[in-house]
Amino acid sequence: MIFLDAAATTPVRREVVEAMWPYLSGDFGNPSSHHSLGDAAAAALAGAREATATALGCRPGEIVFTAGGTEADNLAVKGIALARRAADPRLDRVAISAVEHPAVEESARYLERVHGFGVDVVPVDRYGQVSEEALAAVLRPETALVSVMYANNEVGTVQPVPRLAALARGLGIPFHSDAVQAAGWLPLDVRGLGVDALSLSGHKLGAPKGCGALYVRSRTRLEPLIHGGGQERGRRSGTENVAGAVALATALGLAGPSQRETATRVSGLRDDFIAEVLAGVPGAVLTGHPADRLPSVASFCFPGTSGESVLLELERQGVICSSGSACAAGSDEPSPVLLAMGIGAEVAQTAVRFSFDSSVTAAELREAAAAVRTAVGSVRTLGPTSSH
Ligand code: PLP
């Protein structure tokens, strides 16, 4: 099997399991307990916070551990917007891009539905990118928060985060970015990016599902979403997932030093794969930005097929990939991300995403490209619904 669905999730790295194991076994204490077992857990949590902060170039106190990327996005969008409006009732709008993950989009819609906020959606160009002009056009004195993702999960387009963040912050508006897909591939230095909040998820980079973190710049007001014992400095109550925090920190630490080299190597393999698919499959269309894209994502539309039929055919040939996002898998609706990029609904239904982890090889991608040629050819011959 060739696994090309790493943007959905990745296997847990052996080093990560080994780093977690003590906190699932002998050192299983509750970090809030006042005895030696609790102290050991608290020390591990502090170490994980420090290592995560190092990976992001921030202070340990600016890290809030969460149960994954979705929770980090919810905490950023709802937590910052609600806190700002509580301080100033005029701040009752949020601005998000048209290609956000549902964790951001639905958080904004919740603010609209339940708390009466206005939501301004920033349009993207045909590559899925937000321009400074497009963002500037929606910002208002009432904007409480801007959220634009670092890299898109369906098409891999990377946003010009430093420029967008500078624009928002220049107007005194906090800027959040969902870096769930970017982690491991792009620099995460939050000062360089100029963001006020940044979301991470462990399972996209070799840690288990259900662990993540939110960076929140110190002095940023944040209304907690989960109330209880006041853990995480009152920003996220609940007994901490010590092993999960250690896992996330370890995975970030493993990815960090080789990130630039890995990104360069995998980008080269990605470009060869894209060229082979475009040359081998008549009518294939690359989606997303041709250059500003994650090293790990090659996404296409294959007009005249259905994406789901191509996926099934590819799986038969031993290639695992997806139609876009795991969240939307099985949905008959065309991807809102592709529609926002101006791709017609019929073509959007033919989307297929290939996403790699750092272990991907040239041989695997050559084999996969050949499989794509055969799979699309057979779906087109037999008709788009033949594989259902
Ligand atoms: N944001 C993006 C861009 C994602 O790709 C994902 C996962 O698919 C998430 C957020 C949600 O992260 P998690 O699965 O850890 O909740």
Side-chain angles (χ1 to χ4, degrees):
M1 180 183 89
I2 302 177
F3 179 71
L4 300 182
D5 200 14
T9 197
T10 58
V12 180
R13 294 177 67 155
R14 172 171 293 277
E15 303 94 312
V16 170
V17 176
E18 282 166 5
M20 295 172 74
W21 177 242
Y23 309 103
L24 298 167
S25 52
D27 290 331
F28 61 89
N30 182 328
S32 300
S33 295
H34 292 282
H35 49 59
S36 56
L37 269 181
D39 292 347
L45 190 63
R49 198 181 306 282
E50 188 129 3
T52 303
T54 301
L56 270 55
C58 67
R59 288 198 281 275
E62 295 174 310
I63 299 294
V64 181
F65 286 116
T66 66
T70 299
E71 188 192 323
D73 284 343
N74 273 257
L75 181 56
V77 175
K78 298 176 192 170
I80 295 174
L82 289 172
R84 291 204 80 216
R85 194 177 65 174
D88 180 350
R90 287 169 299 184
L91 296 172
D92 64 356
R93 304 193 72 82
V94 293
I96 62 170
S97 89
V99 292
E100 294 303 308
H101 187 275
V104 166
E105 151 91 20
E106 291 302 320
S107 293
R109 294 298 167 202
Y110 162 84
L111 289 173
E112 180 179 54
R113 201 173 57 247
V114 178
H115 295 280
F117 275 76
V119 177
D120 296 304
V121 177
V122 191
V124 294
D125 65 16
R126 67 192 169 115
Y127 299 129
Q129 229 170 21
V130 174
S131 68
E132 285 157 272
E133 295 70 33
L135 177 59
V138 307
L139 296 182
R140 308 203 205 165
E142 307 86 63
T143 309
L145 172 74
V146 173
S147 181
V148 178
M149 70 201 322
Y150 195 171
N152 183 264
N153 48 303
E154 293 187 40
V155 295
T157 296
V158 176
Q159 302 293 347
V161 167
R163 295 206 303 272
L164 302 176
L167 172 63
R169 298 195 78 233
L171 298 167
I173 307 168
F175 188 96
H176 164 250
S177 190
D178 174 340
V180 166
Q181 292 292 341
W185 299 106
L186 303 175
L188 291 179
D189 167 32
V190 290
R191 306 277 186 252
L193 290 168
V195 296
D196 297 281
L198 187 97
S199 304
L200 296 175
S201 172
H203 74 104
K204 311 290 184 178
L205 72 160
K209 295 156 190 64
C211 59
L214 180 68
Y215 154 76
V216 193
R217 189 191 287 262
S218 57
R219 289 194 291 278
T220 305
R221 291 173 195 270
L222 186 75
E223 184 62 38
L225 306 184
I226 301 179
H227 305 95
Q231 289 88 343
E232 298 291 299
R233 294 191 177 183
R235 295 167 298 186
R236 199 274 187 184
S237 287
T239 303
E240 301 90 339
N241 177 358
V242 179
V246 168
L248 176 67
T250 306
L252 285 169
L254 288 168
S258 56
Q259 179 245 306
R260 193 190 291 257
E261 194 184 305
T262 307
T264 305
R265 184 180 69 79
V266 177
S267 295
L269 298 178
R270 174 206 64 194
D271 289 342
D272 292 347
F273 176 72
I274 290 173
E276 272 189 65
V277 170
L278 293 179
V281 181
V285 182
L286 178 71
T287 55
H289 200 284
D292 295 341
R293 62 186 304 133
L294 283 173
S296 50
V297 174
S299 52
F300 303 90
C301 286
F302 299 116
T305 67
S306 93
E308 288 295 325
S309 313
V310 174
L311 291 189
L312 288 173
E313 197 50 45
L314 280 170
E315 184 158 9
R316 251 204 283 272
Q317 297 184 42
V319 177
I320 305 286
C321 54
S322 86
S323 60
S325 91
C327 302
S331 150
D332 282 339
E333 295 299 314
S335 146
V337 169
L338 298 180
L339 297 182
M341 290 162 54
I343 296 174
E346 202 170 314
V347 173
Q349 297 276 22
T350 71
V352 179
R353 175 190 71 186
F354 303 89
S355 52
F356 326 131
D357 73 12
S358 55
S359 67
V360 70
T361 66
E364 282 176 328
L365 291 185
R366 264 197 308 276
E367 206 178 307
V372 174
R373 208 161 42 234
T374 316
V376 174
S378 78
V379 169
R380 279 182 177 153
T381 309
L382 297 169
T385 54
S386 61
S387 298
H388 284 290

